[in-house]
Amino acid sequence: MQKLMRFFWWLRPIIQLWVRGKVFPHDINKNLSLDPQKPICFVLKSRSFKDLMVLDHACETKKIPKPRELLTKLKLSRKASFLYLNKPGLFQAERTKKLPTDLFRLIGQVSKERFDVQIVPVSIFWGRNPGTGEKSLFKLLFFDDEYGGFLQRFVTFFVHGRNVFCNFGKPISLLELVDEGKSLEETSKKLRRVLKVHFRRQRETIVGPYIYDRGQVINSMLQSKSLRTIIDAESVKSNTSIAKVERRARKYAEEVCAKVSPSAIRFFDILLSWLWKKIYSGLEVRQENKIRELAEQYELVYMPSHRSHMDYLLIGYVLYYLGLLPPHTIAGINLNFWPVGPLLRRGGAIFIRRTFRGNRLYGAVVSEFVHYLLSTGYPLCFYPEGGRSRTGYLLQPKVGILNMVLEACRKRTNKPVLLVPIYVGYDRVMEARSYQKELGGKSKKRESFSGLLKASKLIRSTFGKAYIGFGEPLQVDTYLDLKYPSWRENQPFPSDLLKHISEEMMKRTNSAAVVSPVSMIALILQSSPKKALSESDLLQITRIFAKLGSSLPLGSYVHFPDTTNLLDDIKTIEELSHVIRFRHQDDDVIYLNKRNNTILDYYRNNIVHLFLLPSMLCHFLVNAGSIRKDQLIECCQLLYKFIYQSHFLPWNEDQSTEIISETLSKLLSHHILAYDEQSDVIALPEILSDEYLAFKLLAEISSNSMEKYGLYSVSLSRYSDRGSVLLADLDTEILQMSKRISILNGMTSNVFYDDKSYKHYLQTLKQLNMISSESGSTRKIIINDAFKKLSEIAPNLISPALHKSIQKVPITQPASKAADENKEYHEKLASQ
C-alpha cells in the first residue's frame, strides 16, 4: 500500500481545496512528546484514501513527519509511515479476527533488529453526527459509519468535507511492548486490542452515543421503576387516578427533556465561531488537555461558576472546539422563550423550574432524565450556584441537581462519574450594566425576545477576552466510599454530605481561577486610597502581585497572567472603559472610571480569594507595625476560621498553620515584609520602596472584612466582664457603633457593618465554642473563655483611632429603645 501511495500524493492539494478540518490536540509536539530520533508509524482504523490525505495534511500543518516512508525502511530513515488496522466494508465485523499483515511484519522487524517505533493511533471523523442507531439507506450514505464502504466514504467526502476532525492519540513504544517477552502473535493481538479500545473510546468521546428519540426516552422514563413508585404514591396522596398523574408526569417530561439535533449543534458551532471573533479578542482555556484525557475514561459532569448568560454558549462551544461532546446543560426555564428556547433545547438545554420544592413528581422526572443521560454516555453540565453572581463572588451552592447526579451514580452508569469544576471569567461581562442596576435596588428584568433584540446591539461592542479554567475533578464513587461508605444503599443522601461535596466543588472552582490583567488591575486600583496610581507604579505593582501570586501555594490549576505586555493590557482596559488615563509629560495617571466602580468590584471579586491570606498577614502589620513571627501566624490562623468557608478557600483548619507559614515566607522572599532573625520579629519594608506600596495595597484587600470582624469583636469584648449580653443589645451596640464610626469618617453609608457578615461572625463564634446562647425570649449570649484570645487580637484589626472611638462610647442603651432606631436606620439605608 505504501508503494502504491507514492503515485497519488499529488492528489492531496486538490482534495484540500474542499476539505476543512481541525486537528487535536492543538499543540501536538507538546502534548504527545514525540521523540524526533525515533521513527513513527501512524495507525488508521480502516483503509481510506481520503483519511490518509487528511493525515498527511495534518502532519504538514503541525510540522511532524509525514507518513510517506515505507514500513521496511523506518529503521534507516527515522521518518514516518502508516498502516491500517482494518479493511472497510459492511461485513468488516466478520473479518476482524485476522491480524493485519503490516502490523505483524513491523513487530517482527522490531523484535529482530532491536529498534523502537512510536505507534501513534489517528482517528479521523467526517462530521460529528452519530446518527440514530437505526439501519437505513440514508444513514448508510450520509453518516460516517465506522464500517462504511467505498460508496459511503465517497458521499461523506462531499457532505462532511468541511467538518473533518483529526485526533492524534498518545504514542505507544513498540520496543517496550516487544520486550514484555510474549510471542509475536500474542504481542500483535495485544497491540491490536489496545488500538481497538483507543479507537472506540475516541469515537465515544468525540462523536458520542447515538442520538436518542425524545418520545421513546419519555415513554421509557414513565415506565421506570423509580418513577412508577412516585406516580403511585402521588395518586394515593392526592386521591387522583393513576392516568391523571401519568399525564402530569408526561407534561413535566415534555417541559424538561432536551431534543438534541446535530444540525443545531453544527449551527451553533458556525454562529458562535463568528460571534466570538466579533465580540471577544480571544478565548483563553486552561487545563484542557487533562479534560480530554479524562473524557475517554469517565462520564463527565461539569460544574461551572455562573457569571453570565454567555456561560451556556461559551462552555458548550469550548468543549466542542476541544473535540469533546457538548454537554446537556441544565438551565432556568426563564430562558425557554421563542426563538431561543427551542433552539437551545436542540443544542442540549434542559429547562427546569427555579424551585420545585414540594413537587415530588417534578423532581422525580428531572432525576430520571439525569440518570438516563449519564447511563447512556452523555455529559451533563449544571450551575451549582443556581443563578448568576451579581457581585463576582461565588454564591452559596444549591444541592438539588447534585443529589440527582449522586442518585444516578447509585443506580450505576457505564463509566465512573467525575465532577469537573470550571472557572469562568470575562474581561467585560455582557450584563454588567444590568448587574449594576440590580445592586442599586432595581428589580431584575425578565428574559424575553424584546430583551434579546436590545442585547443584540452589544454585538457592536468589544468585550476583551473570555477565560475558562478546568479545575481538579472529583471522582464520585471514590469520594463517597471514603466519606459515606453506605452510599450504595437505597436511602437518601444526608444533607450535610451534599453540602460538603458542593462546597468542595466551589473550592476547586476557585482554585482553577484564570487571573486576567483586567481583574488584577481592578484589584490593585480598588485597593489604592484614591482609586488611582501613576502608570509606572501600576506596572510595577502588577508585576509584584503576579510574581507573588505565582509563588503562593495555590495549586497547579491557578494561572496568573504574563506581565511582559502590561502596557498593551492597560490600553485594552482603557478601551473597555474600565479606567481613564490622565496624560502627563512625566508619568501618566491611571484611575478608575467612577461610573464603572461597582462593575470593577465585580472583576476584583473574581480573584480576591487568591490574595486573602497574604492580605491578612499584611493587615496585622498596618496597625501593629511589628509583631513576633509565631504570634502573627497564630493570629492569622484564628482569623482564617472566619473567612475560609465564606470565600471557599481550599485549605481546612488543620492545614491553615502550614499554609499561612508558607505564605508568610513568600511575602518575606519578595521583600513585601521584613524579618529580623535575631528578635524573630516581622516588620514593615522600607517606606520608599515599591514593596512598601505593594504591602499597603495588599493589606487593603482584606481591610473591610478585617475591620468588621475587629469592630464586632471589640464591641463584644466590652461585655466580657459581665460574661453575657442580650442578643438584642449586642445587635444595637454593633449597629449604632458602626453607624457612628462611618459618620465620623465622612462616609455616607455604613461600611463597617452588613447583616450577612455579622450573622456569619456569630455563627462562627458558636462553632468555635467562643459563645453559646440561651434559649427563650431574652436570647442571651454567654461569652466563653475561648473568646479571650480573639478579644486580645481584635484591636490589631482596627486602627488605634477607631479603637479609641469605640472605647469612649458607654455600654449599650436598653434594647427596646434601640430597636426603633435600628428599624429607622435600616429603612433609611434601604431608601438610599
Side-chain angles (χ1 to χ4, degrees):
M1 186 67 184
Q2 284 88 354
K3 292 180 180 179
L4 183 64
M5 286 305 303
R6 289 191 168 191
F7 301 100
F8 292 98
W9 289 119
W10 59 272
L11 285 172
R12 203 204 77 190
I14 300 174
I15 290 175
Q16 288 302 320
L17 291 174
W18 173 248
V19 174
R20 294 290 181 273
K22 295 177 181 176
V23 181
F24 304 101
H26 300 295
D27 191 346
I28 286 180
N29 292 309
K30 178 181 177 181
N31 295 308
L32 297 190
S33 302
L34 293 172
D35 189 342
Q37 301 302 317
K38 296 179 181 179
I40 301 170
C41 179
F42 297 105
V43 181
L44 294 167
K45 189 175 190 309
S46 56
R47 183 177 296 171
S48 170
F49 177 76
K50 60 187 177 70
D51 285 359
L52 186 58
M53 295 295 105
V54 170
L55 170 62
D56 189 78
H57 179 71
C59 290
E60 182 178 76
T61 304
K62 297 298 180 180
K63 297 184 169 106
I64 59 176
K66 291 183 282 189
R68 298 193 178 185
E69 190 57 79
L70 295 175
L71 277 174
T72 54
K73 294 184 179 181
L74 277 180
K75 181 181 178 181
L76 298 175
S77 67
R78 306 286 180 184
K79 294 182 180 178
S81 186
F82 70 94
L83 60 83
Y84 299 114
L85 196 61
N86 300 316
K87 293 180 180 180
L90 290 174
F91 304 102
Q92 179 60 33
E94 283 75 26
R95 298 201 295 247
T96 56
K97 294 182 180 181
K98 186 177 179 181
L99 289 171
T101 305
D102 290 340
L103 181 63
F104 190 82
R105 287 175 180 170
L106 180 61
I107 293 173
Q109 184 184 2
V110 168
S111 178
K112 183 178 180 181
E113 301 181 23
R114 304 301 299 169
F115 70 99
D116 198 8
V117 175
Q118 301 172 96
I119 301 293
V120 180
V122 182
S123 306
I124 296 176
F125 302 98
W126 294 76
R128 294 172 69 176
N129 187 344
T132 60
E134 298 178 357
K135 300 295 182 182
S136 64
L137 180 62
F138 181 80
K139 181 184 177 183
L140 182 67
L141 290 177
F142 293 102
F143 293 108
D144 183 22
D145 190 273
E146 51 188 330
Y147 298 123
F150 170 79
L151 179 61
Q152 184 185 40
R153 293 171 185 271
F154 180 79
V155 173
T156 55
F157 172 80
F158 292 101
V159 174
H160 299 296
R162 314 296 284 185
N163 189 25
V164 179
F165 295 81
C166 178
N167 185 82
F168 289 80
K170 289 201 168 181
I172 302 169
S173 172
L174 194 53
L175 185 59
E176 288 182 9
L177 208 61
V178 168
D179 286 344
E180 290 180 2
K182 297 180 180 179
S183 66
L184 289 182
E185 185 173 357
E186 288 177 335
T187 302
S188 301
K189 285 182 178 179
K190 180 178 179 179
L191 178 58
R192 187 165 177 267
R193 186 166 60 250
V194 168
L195 292 171
K196 285 179 68 178
V197 170
H198 170 82
F199 286 127
R200 176 174 55 80
R201 285 181 174 175
Q202 283 300 307
R203 187 172 187 86
E204 290 174 354
T205 301
I206 296 175
V207 179
Y210 290 125
I211 300 297
Y212 54 82
D213 181 276
R214 187 167 181 261
Q216 291 180 3
V217 170
I218 291 174
N219 289 335
S220 66
M221 285 169 55
L222 294 176
Q223 297 305 315
S224 67
K225 183 179 179 181
S226 57
L227 196 53
R228 293 304 311 177
T229 303
I230 301 295
I231 289 174
D232 293 341
E234 284 293 307
S235 176
V236 173
K237 181 180 177 181
S238 60
N239 195 23
T240 310
S241 67
I242 290 180
K244 192 171 183 180
V245 178
E246 278 184 357
R247 286 196 295 273
R248 188 151 57 96
R250 181 176 292 277
K251 182 181 177 182
Y252 291 157
E254 293 284 351
E255 179 184 299
V256 167
C257 293
K259 189 179 182 180
V260 174
S261 164
S263 301
I265 293 174
R266 178 61 178 153
F267 166 76
F268 276 120
D269 178 34
I270 296 170
L271 174 66
L272 295 178
S273 295
W274 168 82
L275 181 62
W276 301 150
K277 290 176 183 177
K278 186 82 174 173
I279 64 176
Y280 293 127
S281 58
L283 301 179
E284 192 171 316
V285 183
R286 297 289 167 180
Q287 307 293 340
E288 68 274 17
N289 293 318
K290 292 183 180 180
I291 295 302
R292 295 192 76 252
E293 293 172 8
L294 293 171
E296 298 180 18
Q297 306 171 45
Y298 299 93
E299 299 291 355
L300 300 186
V301 176
Y302 302 102
M303 297 175 64
S305 58
H306 204 2
R307 314 289 191 196
S308 164
H309 279 318
M310 303 304 285
D311 299 348
Y312 305 111
L313 304 175
L314 184 65
I315 290 171
Y317 175 83
V318 165
L319 292 170
Y320 190 81
Y321 176 77
L322 293 176
L324 301 176
L325 193 63
H328 281 63
T329 302
I330 294 179
I333 201 168
N334 55 307
L335 293 178
N336 190 20
F337 61 89
W338 188 89
V340 172
L343 196 56
L344 290 178
R345 194 184 292 277
R346 284 169 173 77
I350 305 168
F351 295 113
I352 65 170
R353 301 173 186 180
R354 285 295 179 190
T355 179
F356 39 90
R357 183 174 297 175
N359 192 340
R360 192 180 175 197
L361 182 61
Y362 186 90
V365 169
V366 177
S367 182
E368 195 63 35
F369 189 57
V370 167
H371 173 248
Y372 170 79
L373 294 174
L374 295 180
S375 63
T376 51
Y378 285 99
L380 181 70
C381 175
F382 73 94
Y383 295 86
E385 295 168 276
R388 293 167 294 158
S389 170
R390 267 63 172 178
T391 61
Y393 292 115
L394 290 183
L395 305 177
Q396 287 296 322
K398 309 291 191 297
V399 298
I401 303 300
L402 176 64
N403 185 48
M404 295 176 186
V405 170
L406 299 188
E407 289 288 354
C409 295
R410 175 187 280 163
K411 294 177 183 177
R412 301 300 169 87
T413 53
N414 292 333
K415 293 186 283 188
V417 173
L418 276 189
L419 304 180
V420 181
I422 303 179
Y423 173 89
V424 183
Y426 300 91
D427 280 345
R428 182 182 168 194
V429 177
M430 192 167 283
E431 300 97 324
R433 290 295 171 207
S434 64
Y435 290 173
Q436 193 174 25
K437 292 175 182 177
E438 289 173 33
L439 289 172
K442 291 192 176 181
S443 58
K444 174 183 174 292
K445 290 186 178 180
R446 188 176 180 180
E447 290 78 3
S448 63
F449 181 57
S450 60
L452 180 66
L453 291 177
K454 292 177 182 177
S456 64
K457 298 176 183 177
L458 294 173
I459 294 177
R460 294 190 289 270
S461 306
T462 179
F463 291 86
K465 284 185 177 181
Y467 304 88
I468 296 287
F470 293 99
E472 181 185 359
L474 184 148
Q475 186 171 335
V476 172
D477 54 355
T478 304
Y479 194 82
L480 289 177
D481 285 339
L482 180 65
K483 298 291 184 181
Y484 187 56
S486 61
W487 69 278
R488 288 183 174 85
E489 298 175 9
N490 191 19
Q491 55 186 1
F493 288 101
S495 58
D496 288 345
L497 175 70
L498 296 173
K499 183 175 183 289
H500 180 78
I501 295 176
S502 62
E503 288 179 350
E504 176 64 26
M505 293 308 296
M506 302 305 277
K507 292 176 183 178
R508 298 189 185 202
T509 300
N510 264 345
S511 297
V514 182
V515 182
S516 68
V518 168
S519 56
M520 181 76 83
I521 289 173
L523 178 73
I524 293 169
L525 288 178
Q526 289 283 36
S527 301
S528 62
K530 302 299 181 183
K531 315 299 182 188
L533 285 172
S534 67
E535 186 174 42
S536 60
D537 281 344
L538 180 59
L539 291 171
Q540 186 60 21
I541 297 302
T542 305
R543 293 189 184 100
I544 292 174
F545 270 48
K547 287 180 182 177
L548 173 66
S550 300
S551 68
L552 291 174
L554 299 170
S556 60
Y557 288 88
V558 174
H559 176 77
F560 282 86
D562 183 9
T563 56
T564 54
N565 298 312
L566 273 179
L567 285 173
D568 294 335
D569 292 332
I570 291 176
K571 288 179 182 176
T572 301
I573 296 170
E574 284 184 74
E575 292 170 2
L576 295 172
S577 302
H578 292 327
V579 298
I580 301 173
R581 178 187 294 271
F582 172 74
R583 297 195 177 276
H584 190 272
Q585 58 184 3
D586 295 326
D587 194 1
D588 291 356
V589 175
I590 308 298
Y591 62 99
L592 292 184
N593 185 344
K594 288 185 178 180
R595 183 168 174 261
N596 294 337
N597 191 40
T598 306
I599 297 173
L600 281 175
D601 264 340
Y602 184 96
Y603 307 118
R604 166 197 179 273
N605 295 343
N606 286 175
I607 64 164
V608 71
H609 62 279
L610 301 175
F611 291 94
L612 274 180
L613 274 186
S615 176
M616 282 173 56
L617 288 163
C618 291
H619 183 80
F620 272 101
L621 271 295
V622 168
N623 298 313
S626 63
I627 187 172
R628 285 179 54 239
K629 184 178 179 181
D630 58 343
Q631 186 182 354
L632 177 59
I633 293 173
E634 187 181 359
C635 291
C636 270
Q637 184 184 9
L638 182 58
L639 264 296
Y640 181 78
K641 299 173 182 178
F642 288 84
I643 66 165
Y644 82 99
Q645 288 182 323
S646 58
H647 287 87
F648 299 110
L649 299 183
W651 314 285
N652 57 38
E653 293 180 29
D654 297 334
Q655 299 170 304
S656 61
T657 303
E658 180 184 349
I659 294 299
I660 290 169
S661 299
E662 191 172 348
T663 302
L664 178 58
S665 69
K666 297 302 180 184
L667 288 170
L668 294 173
S669 65
H670 286 83
H671 308 292
I672 296 173
L673 292 177
Y675 177 55
D676 184 347
E677 284 191 43
Q678 189 173 0
S679 59
D680 195 34
V681 168
I682 305 293
L684 306 183
E686 290 292 333
I687 293 181
L688 297 179
S689 64
D690 291 327
E691 286 75 15
Y692 181 78
L693 178 57
F695 158 77
K696 294 288 286 184
L697 295 175
L698 266 175
E700 186 63 27
I701 290 172
S702 65
S703 64
N704 187 257
S705 297
M706 294 298 102
E707 286 173 349
K708 285 177 182 175
Y709 291 138
L711 186 146
Y712 302 157
S713 300
V714 170
S715 299
L716 180 58
S717 67
R718 285 150 51 90
Y719 295 91
S720 295
D721 293 339
R722 298 183 181 183
S724 65
V725 61
L726 295 180
L727 179 60
D729 287 347
L730 181 64
D731 292 347
T732 302
E733 168 88 15
I734 289 177
L735 182 61
Q736 297 286 30
M737 187 68 71
S738 59
K739 175 184 175 183
R740 179 178 185 273
I741 294 169
S742 296
I743 295 171
L744 287 173
N745 284 273
M747 299 171 182
T748 56
S749 59
N750 190 351
V751 299
F752 292 98
Y753 176 89
D754 71 78
D755 194 54
K756 183 178 179 182
S757 70
Y758 177 55
K759 288 180 178 177
H760 174 70
Y761 171 77
L762 292 178
Q763 183 181 1
T764 307
L765 288 180
K766 288 181 182 179
Q767 291 173 354
L768 298 175
N769 199 31
M770 292 185 179
I771 63 171
S772 53
S773 57
E774 289 184 357
S775 59
S777 58
T778 58
R779 297 191 65 189
K780 182 186 288 186
I781 290 178
I782 308 300
I783 302 173
N784 301 327
D785 292 339
F787 177 71
K788 183 179 179 181
K789 184 62 183 177
L790 180 60
S791 66
E792 290 174 355
I793 70 170
N796 288 326
L797 300 177
I798 57 180
S799 66
L802 185 57
H803 187 213
K804 185 178 179 181
S805 178
I806 294 173
Q807 295 299 336
K808 278 185 177 182
V809 178
I811 289 181
T812 188
Q813 57 185 307
S816 57
K817 180 181 177 182
D820 296 333
E821 294 185 6
N822 194 335
K823 181 179 178 182
E824 179 185 343
Y825 182 64
H826 274 296
E827 290 175 352
K828 185 177 179 181
L829 279 180
S831 65
Q832 289 174 351

